[in-house]
Amino acid sequence: MKKHNFSAGPCILPEEVLQKAADAVINFNNDNLSLIEISHRSQPFVDVIEKARSLVLKLLKLENKGYKVLFLHGGASTQFLMTAYNLLQNKAAYLNTGTWSTKAIKEAKLFGELIEVASSEDKSFNYIPKGYDIPTDADYFHCTSNNTIYGTQMKDFPEVSIPLVCDMSSDIFSRQLDFSKFDLIYAGAQKNMGPAGTTLVVIKEAILGKVNRAIPSMLNYQIHIDKESMFNTPAVFSIYVSMLTLEWLEDMGGISFIETVNQQKATLLYEEIDRNPLFKGVVAKEDRSYMNATFTLINTKLTDKFDTLWQKANINGLHGHRSVGGYRASMYNALPLYSVQALVDVMKELERNA
Ligand SMILES: *Cc1c(COP(=O)(O)O)cnc(C)c1O
């Protein structure tokens, strides 16, 4: 029986997507060739990447609004430097909400002045700063919508007159937002879209062309736009599986549908964390993530008992990030409600037997 997979990334994908992906690796489109042994420029693959692009725009409601969809290499981590390389002429404003923001800031500093508008580092990143000022003369504002490691999530985004750049690696396609407020969104595929290997970039083309420096081709958004993500060989398998996952999401009812399910899952777990006297949540309640719930045992002497129980219950991937400890339940789109129920049942069982 398939495990209840709470892994933070790479992470759970829908069963039917995995089955279709497995089939395509052997025999794609009944053409007696594998998906991963045909040219990325052949029509069958061009159809795949076009479908993936159009599904991204459709699901995010960004059709005909001047956005381009790219599938790039190098993970979200390469976007930390690529955003700055392409957009930072003088100075940029960043909100620091955790490990990933900190890494983005470090890279951007290589390219110009960096204004950290606010940081939650003073409290181990257990909340989202609010009420900060963003300089209107910055080249752009960068934030991280969901902090995968700490379990906080931005519920509101500041109104800005400068380009808004967002790392949405761990909550893209999970909730309804006005995505047209953002000028550049990036996300590593492996959290909510597909397997590791490709990185989604959704960019408003009009924000480009404003920096003076020469940009190496592989790091130049305009080149990838002009070449339709085929400047070099794209990550064909990862893009194909991402396309399947987006199709699955679309068939189920899109983001508005999955948002409801995601809220049900998160509510079920957070209610148990708050009710059960053995556990406590790690982050400020109003900033809790619907994707990654972080919690700890109040009495760490129960650790072995709890770990044995959840592992026996066929649960995978519940340990917190190595930098934080405790527990983290990642509840991405493909995780079913019954998996969260299985975890809640184990927490109740521990309470009865403690
Ligand atoms: C996982 C993650 C990253 C890093 O992604 P890579 O693809 O491994 O570079 C960056 N930002 C966020 C929010 C993440 O969750």
Side-chain angles (χ1 to χ4, degrees):
M1 184 194 155
K2 169 98 180 185
K3 287 188 177 171
H4 302 292
N5 189 2
F6 290 90
S7 176
C11 58
I12 187 164
L13 289 169
E15 275 302 304
E16 61 184 80
V17 165
L18 294 176
Q19 190 56 57
K20 284 183 189 167
D23 294 345
V25 166
I26 301 300
N27 182 359
F28 180 49
N29 279 353
N30 280 326
D31 201 25
N32 296 318
L33 288 168
S34 165
L35 167 82
I36 56 175
E37 59 178 8
I38 58 170
S39 167
H40 57 291
R41 299 190 190 282
S42 65
Q43 198 56 46
F45 186 75
V46 170
D47 290 346
V48 166
I49 198 166
E50 276 176 2
K51 183 85 199 281
R53 268 197 291 263
S54 71
L55 280 166
V56 168
L57 291 179
K58 185 162 186 213
L59 287 161
L60 300 180
K61 300 195 164 62
L62 288 179
E63 289 156 309
N64 305 316
K65 293 199 166 112
Y67 288 87
K68 299 288 179 179
V69 176
L70 303 174
F71 294 98
L72 304 182
H73 297 283
S77 299
T78 298
Q79 294 309 306
F80 298 159
L81 69 109
M82 206 163 152
T83 45
Y85 221 136
N86 286 261
L87 302 176
L88 205 173
Q89 180 63 28
N90 297 308
K91 66 176 175 185
Y94 277 67
L95 177 64
N96 191 356
T97 52
T99 306
W100 301 118
S101 309
T102 304
K103 289 189 170 181
I105 288 168
K106 177 172 179 243
E107 301 300 309
K109 277 184 179 162
L110 298 170
F111 299 93
E113 189 189 341
L114 194 132
I115 316 285
E116 195 174 286
V117 297
S119 168
S120 47
E121 194 173 6
D122 57 337
K123 290 191 182 160
S124 307
F125 296 115
N126 72 1
Y127 71 104
I128 300 285
K130 291 161 198 91
Y132 45 84
D133 290 320
I134 298 169
T136 51
D137 60 344
D139 296 322
Y140 61 90
F141 173 65
H142 178 287
C143 58
T144 311
S145 56
N146 183 69
N147 299 284
T148 328
I149 293 176
Y150 298 93
T152 60
Q153 187 171 34
M154 294 177 76
K155 308 293 172 184
D156 303 299
F157 293 84
E159 297 294 334
V160 283
S161 53
I162 55 177
L164 181 55
V165 176
C166 190
D167 176 359
M168 291 197 193
S169 290
S170 52
D171 70 350
I172 192 157
F173 304 118
S174 73
R175 58 171 167 167
Q176 299 185 86
L177 290 174
D178 179 0
F179 293 98
S180 70
K181 278 187 172 179
F182 300 88
D183 297 274
L184 194 163
I185 296 166
Y186 63 88
Q190 71 275 17
K191 307 270 169 55
N192 221 0
M193 193 176 77
T198 195
T199 308
L200 173 67
V201 174
V202 184
I203 184 170
K204 209 165 204 177
E205 197 170 3
I207 66 170
L208 293 175
K210 309 222 160 97
V211 295
N212 293 330
R213 72 177 64 85
I215 305 172
S217 306
M218 273 298 281
L219 299 178
N220 189 328
Y221 289 125
Q222 193 63 59
I223 287 189
H224 290 293
I225 291 173
D226 295 344
K227 300 290 180 191
E228 301 187 326
S229 303
M230 297 228 190
F231 173 73
N232 73 323
T233 315
V236 290
F237 180 71
S238 182
I239 293 168
Y240 177 66
V241 183
S242 297
M243 185 277 280
L244 293 177
T245 310
L246 296 172
E247 237 172 22
W248 166 84
L249 180 56
E250 155 96 342
D251 287 348
M252 273 200 322
I255 295 181
S256 64
F257 171 81
I258 207 75
E259 178 178 41
T260 309
V261 180
N262 288 336
Q263 280 171 351
Q264 285 171 352
K265 290 185 293 186
T267 303
L268 178 62
L269 179 56
Y270 283 124
E271 277 179 1
E272 178 61 16
I273 291 169
D274 291 339
R275 185 209 62 79
N276 192 318
L278 302 184
F279 293 94
K280 69 170 194 295
V282 174
V283 306
K285 279 192 185 172
E286 73 271 18
D287 300 325
R288 281 173 165 176
S289 167
Y290 288 153
M291 291 281 99
N292 314 94
T294 49
F295 58 99
T296 56
L297 273 166
I298 291 169
N299 178 359
T300 50
K301 289 204 185 93
L302 292 173
T303 301
D304 287 347
K305 205 166 184 178
F306 182 51
D307 290 354
T308 309
L309 277 181
W310 60 259
Q311 279 156 17
K312 253 179 39 197
N314 214 24
I315 286 172
N316 172 63
L318 206 62
H319 286 298
H321 189 269
R322 60 191 185 281
S323 65
V324 178
Y327 298 96
R328 170 175 53 171
S330 297
M331 300 172 281
Y332 296 116
N333 286 353
L335 185 85
L337 183 65
Y338 61 75
S339 288
V340 181
Q341 188 61 54
L343 172 57
V344 166
D345 290 346
V346 165
M347 293 165 78
K348 288 185 198 293
E349 190 180 343
L350 184 72
E351 182 189 11
R352 282 193 303 272
N353 301 338

